[in-house]
Amino acid sequence: MKKSDLLEPIAGNGLLHRRLFLKSSVAAMGAAGLQFITAKVATAAPLEVPAWMQIPGTGMSGYGARSRHEEHIQRSFGSLPGTVGVGSSKTPLEHLEGIITPGALHFERHHNGIPDIAPLEHQLLIHGLVDRPLTFDLESLTRYPLVSHIHFLECSGNSGANNAPKPPQLPASSIHGLVSCSEWTGVPLAVLLDEAGVQSEGSWILAEGSDAAAMSRSIPMAKVRDDAIVAIYQNGEHLRPANGYPMRLFLPGWEGNMSVKWLRRIQVTSGPTMTKDETSKYSDLMPDGRSKLFTFPMEVKSLITSPSGTNAMQGTGLYQVSGIAWSGLGRIRRVEVSADDGRTWAEAALTDPVLPRAFTRFRLPWRWDGGPAVLQSRAIDETGAVQPTRTVLLGERGANYRYHYNAIQSWAVSETGEVSNVYS
Ligand SMILES: Nc1nc2c(c(=O)[nH]1)N[C@H]1C(S)=C(S)[C@@H](COP(=O)(O)O)O[C@H]1N2
Ligand SMILES: [Mo]
């Protein structure tokens, strides 16, 4: 490809080739006299010495804080009327980059608030169809070989706002912020179960939380054996109280509700327990009036986070479309971006690392010429599953299906540069 060709659109409305992001391409553009980044031209005058170079800086601290200039970046949250802790807080996805969600900005979902648990007073009981019932505390768990994996966690209610007949005019995080991605460290649950000795009829477990909701779910033994962990660290530090301190179940790729926080009891059973949390909720009502139970994996999904809803474009020219893709069934294989409402598509660049059941960051250069555009991203995972359009998804599911919304998000860019949520 010739250097100058890099600036030729490869799909409608100004999408450019992902190769433009390679280091060699940026250099080649410079050599060809083309400016990629709209940096200010430096003046020859000496740099001013700013105020903060004229006095010594402040001292250290025991636990870090972010820049005071970034403090406006917050989770948004709400609780049911008359409660303080029954609800959720949402990760400000449009303000983050890369794939890791800082602990302080991880989304939260509580069915009855955050319990205040002293680790020495907390025990995990494993009982039921086992040879030896056992209890574990935080200290005893840290003696087992620990594993660490980077995985997303997504509430199955995430993006439910887009089920509404009219597209909600909200930032990306208010619609899609019930998803985050962390490094989780803990003990494989299979190791703990082997210590207790699972009996041959033990084909499911019940996991119960130590919160005032005693939230509990049934999990098939195959998933437990595959990759379930009892997590005790998140991004290198102990779990935060809101995310399950001192220990939580973590089930990679499955709906967030199954990853029971403040884990206090695992009962090995011969079938699902049918708890309130998996019958009255977290089941999916189909058009024929029947409900689907146990819809565990979160399916392939993606979202452009920049530019996104309620943003304002800063003039015409080159932009970097940036977003996240994930799938509960494995790795992201490919992400495509459209700027013309899905008529034509260009393949996005995936930023390393591309990990199974984790956020994958994608980017694509886009030259906005000031005309109206509709930006979309479409993810494909390693099983070949393709993220559906909203029309297809809702067509299959009918009007009462609430959970597991994974349709393509469309952001319209107006001629005046406002970015809004549209259904296409
Ligand atoms: N004990 C307990 N576990 C729980 C919950 C809860 O309310 N209580 N909420 C569940 C739901 S619905 C989700 S989406 C995830 C959210 O995990 P997070 O708050 O760490 O993001 O935890 C799950 N585990
Ligand atoms: Mo959830």
Side-chain angles (χ1 to χ4, degrees), residues 107 109 111 154-158 178 255-258 282 403:
F107 86 93
R109 170 75 181 102
H111 288 71
E154 182 177 22
C155 177
S156 55
N158 194 28
L178 292 176
E255 57 181 19
N257 186 251
M258 320 273 308
Y282 302 104
Y403 297 112

Side-chain angles (χ1 to χ4, degrees), residues 81-394:
T83 74
V84 285
V86 185
S88 60
S89 72
K90 294 172 179 173
T91 295
L93 297 169
E94 64 276 18
H95 293 291
L96 302 178
E97 253 298 336
I99 61 167
I100 297 292
T101 311
L105 293 174
H106 195 283
F107 86 93
E108 305 160 87
R109 170 75 181 102
H110 318 303
H111 288 71
N112 206 355
I114 305 165
D116 176 15
I117 302 180
L120 290 177
E121 289 162 29
H122 180 85
Q123 303 261 311
L124 166 61
L125 168 67
I126 296 188
H127 71 144
L129 298 172
V130 294
D131 297 336
R132 294 169 296 281
L134 296 172
T135 61
F136 300 86
D137 61 14
L138 182 58
E139 215 277 317
S140 63
L141 288 183
T142 58
R143 300 208 185 183
Y144 286 89
L146 299 174
V147 295
S148 295
H149 296 290
I150 295 174
H151 289 304
F152 75 83
L153 180 69
E154 182 177 22
C155 177
S156 55
N158 194 28
S159 318
N162 272 350
N163 283 310
K166 284 216 177 92
Q169 292 314 321
L170 296 166
S173 54
S174 302
I175 305 169
H176 303 288
L178 292 176
V179 64
S180 306
C181 186
S182 304
E183 183 202 54
W184 301 94
T185 299
V187 187
L189 179 53
V191 169
L192 303 179
L193 286 178
D194 286 343
E195 291 272 88
V198 174
Q199 296 172 353
S200 56
E201 325 84 272
S203 54
W204 285 69
I205 63 164
L206 169 73
E208 182 184 83
S210 188
D211 52 341
M215 225 215 63
S216 37
R217 292 287 319 246
S218 308
I219 298 129
M221 191 61 84
K223 178 66 173 175
V224 172
R225 291 256 166 237
D226 186 20
D227 58 4
I229 65 169
V230 177
I232 51 183
Y233 292 93
Q234 179 184 357
N235 295 338
E237 59 181 356
H238 275 282
L239 296 180
R240 292 186 172 230
N243 304 113
Y245 182 83
M247 57 186 74
R248 83 177 300 168
L249 189 60
F250 191 87
L251 299 176
W254 282 21
E255 57 181 19
N257 186 251
M258 320 273 308
S259 286
V260 173
K261 300 189 279 189
W262 315 294
L263 184 65
R264 74 174 211 129
R265 191 164 75 88
I266 287 188
Q267 183 179 0
V268 178
T269 58
S270 59
T273 302
M274 301 300 194
T275 71
K276 67 180 189 318
D277 301 299
E278 57 201 11
T279 52
S280 71
K281 290 190 283 281
Y282 302 104
S283 57
D284 306 300
L285 190 53
M286 296 189 294
D288 67 3
R290 291 182 306 149
S291 266
K292 272 200 220 167
L293 279 177
F294 305 134
T295 42
F296 298 136
M298 298 306 294
E299 288 181 44
V300 64
K301 188 162 171 181
S302 71
L303 167 73
I304 293 172
T305 51
S306 175
S308 59
T310 73
N311 285 177
M313 304 291 287
Q314 305 299 309
T316 57
L318 271 181
Y319 279 86
Q320 174 177 181
V321 173
S322 173
I324 42 175
W326 64 99
S327 167
L329 297 172
R331 279 188 179 76
I332 291 297
R333 178 190 290 165
R334 182 182 163 95
V335 178
E336 297 161 343
V337 173
S338 173
D340 58 8
D341 205 3
R343 274 183 286 280
T344 58
W345 298 86
E347 187 178 349
L350 305 184
T351 305
D352 280 341
V354 178
L355 300 169
R357 301 177 168 131
F359 279 179
T360 295
R361 177 62 61 174
F362 66 86
R363 305 169 201 283
L364 196 68
W366 177 45
R367 191 164 51 205
W368 183 51
D369 63 4
V374 175
L375 290 170
Q376 300 176 330
S377 64
R378 174 169 72 186
I380 298 139
D381 72 16
E382 64 182 341
T383 72
V386 183
Q387 189 180 1
T389 63
R390 183 174 181 278
T391 312
V392 166
L393 188 78
L394 269 56

